[in-house]
Amino acid sequence: MSKTHLFDLDGKIAFVSGASRGIGEAIAHLLAQQGAHVIVSSRKLDGCQPVADAIVAAGGKATAVACHIGELEQIQQVFTSIREQFGRLDILVNNAATNPQFCNVLDTDVSAFQKTVDVNIRGYFFMSVEAGKLMRENGAGSIINVASINAVSPGHFQGIYSMTKAAVVNMTKVFAKECAQFGIRCNALLPGLTDTRFASALVKNDTILNAALQQIPLKRVADPKEMAGAVLYLASAASSYTTGTALNVDGGYLS
Ligand SMILES: NC(=O)c1ccc[n+]([C@@H]2O[C@H](COP(=O)([O-])OP(=O)(O)OC[C@H]3O[C@@H](n4cnc5c(N)ncnc54)[C@H](OP(=O)(O)O)[C@@H]3O)[C@@H](O)[C@H]2O)c1
């Protein structure tokens, strides 16, 4: 009996935003391990280059590219260069997001509101539009949006962030419905509390952490690597009949 090739990504080009650390870095490594050429991206090239170098040192294929997804011109520029360099894109992982303010909803600052919307909604949207245009030319593609459990159950003092993550889940269904005809699938991942810099204010505070663990049946936070397997499923032929879904990887929190 031969092993399955359902999870192989040989010959695929994958773009991962926010791949310089945390969940995005873990996703970049796993997609490369499965054969994809991974475009490792975040705002800072010097954060992405070591991740791309580590992938290449391990025998994989990777390129580091800077792109602030809150800046529309940078999105345009990065897709111009993907078109020139690769001529195609098979997998987009919209993973980079922001959560600049932790406060009661009544204290939401308008600049924090704007930044969160610009990155988490507008950024994901126009990254998906540009990727979708390239994927349409090829008649195939997979877009994976990293949302959050906060999309379903708003996090304490994370009002605008939670609202943008709910928008990402709806956006996922929009692209799934309208782009299926072009061979493009679009799915969302809803991570639970994961041990990264992003979540350090929650994970490193014993009071907050213990309160959070009460609500997680598996009684621990996730390692970033535990998010990557679900993304590989959604990126690969293993999920060829899955589109428009929101996959919880949350230790049972939303159950
Ligand atoms: N950690 C959790 O508990 C948790 C739970 C649910 C959902 N999530 C989601 O998981 C995703 C990844 O979070 P993480 O925990 O891995 O965060 P992280 O460790 O802080 O990493 C964030 C990444 O995004 C990049 N980034 C930030 N703003 C950006 C922008 N405007 N444009 C492009 N890149 C940007 C950062 O690099 P630069 O600084 O170089 O830009 C970094 O590579 C996010 O969508 C987050 O909402 C996380």
Side-chain angles (χ1 to χ4, degrees):
M1 197 192 303
S2 60
K3 285 189 182 170
T4 178
H5 292 288
L6 278 176
F7 296 93
D8 287 358
L9 299 179
D10 292 326
K12 304 289 186 195
I13 309 295
F15 185 101
V16 184
S17 71
S20 63
R21 58 176 188 266
I23 293 170
E25 180 181 8
I27 293 168
H29 277 284
L30 187 61
L31 299 187
Q33 200 180 325
Q34 291 304 109
H37 184 126
V38 179
I39 305 166
V40 176
S41 188
S42 82
R43 287 168 299 184
K44 301 177 201 105
L45 190 61
D46 59 2
C48 298
Q49 196 61 57
V51 176
D53 290 347
I55 289 172
V56 171
K61 296 182 273 303
T63 309
V65 174
C67 178
H68 186 323
I69 64 153
E71 303 286 341
L72 289 175
E73 320 79 68
Q74 293 197 27
I75 293 176
Q76 293 295 337
Q77 282 163 8
V78 89
F79 275 93
T80 300
S81 89
I82 291 171
R83 190 177 280 281
E84 282 169 8
Q85 200 178 341
F86 301 101
R88 61 185 287 151
L89 187 69
D90 303 289
I91 299 156
L92 168 67
V93 184
N94 275 318
N95 166 74
T98 192
N99 187 14
Q101 201 179 16
F102 190 74
C103 68
N104 184 280
V105 69
L106 300 185
D107 298 319
T108 305
D109 180 81
V110 71
S111 64
F113 179 99
Q114 193 62 54
K115 181 179 177 188
T116 313
V117 169
D118 287 354
V119 173
N120 298 6
I121 300 181
R122 196 181 65 186
Y124 274 46
F125 184 84
F126 283 102
M127 289 292 293
S128 300
V129 166
E130 291 306 319
K133 287 176 183 168
L134 254 178
M135 290 170 175
R136 180 173 58 185
E137 290 173 18
N138 220 13
S142 174
I143 298 172
I144 297 123
N145 291 322
V146 179
S148 168
I149 51 171
N150 288 12
V152 177
S153 179
H156 181 61
F157 283 179
Q158 298 171 64
I160 181 57
Y161 170 78
S162 299
M163 289 161 56
T164 63
K165 291 300 188 174
V168 165
V169 171
N170 196 278
M171 188 191 305
T172 300
K173 294 176 186 174
V174 169
F175 279 83
K177 284 186 171 175
E178 296 193 18
C179 298
Q181 62 183 309
F182 308 125
I184 300 167
R185 296 183 297 107
C186 183
N187 292 286
L189 173 77
L190 275 56
L193 190 56
T194 307
D195 191 6
T196 66
R197 193 192 296 182
F198 192 82
S200 57
L202 309 178
V203 173
K204 305 270 184 263
N205 178 316
D206 280 347
T207 311
I208 297 176
L209 177 62
N210 288 330
L213 292 180
Q214 298 290 323
Q215 298 179 62
I216 303 172
L218 287 183
K219 295 290 172 219
R220 62 180 180 81
V221 299
D223 184 276
K225 290 191 177 110
E226 294 181 280
M227 298 300 145
V231 172
L232 173 60
Y233 164 69
L234 296 172
S236 66
S239 63
S240 55
Y241 199 60
T242 302
T243 196
T245 198
L247 179 54
N248 306 337
V249 183
D250 64 353
Y253 173 85
L254 289 175
S255 57

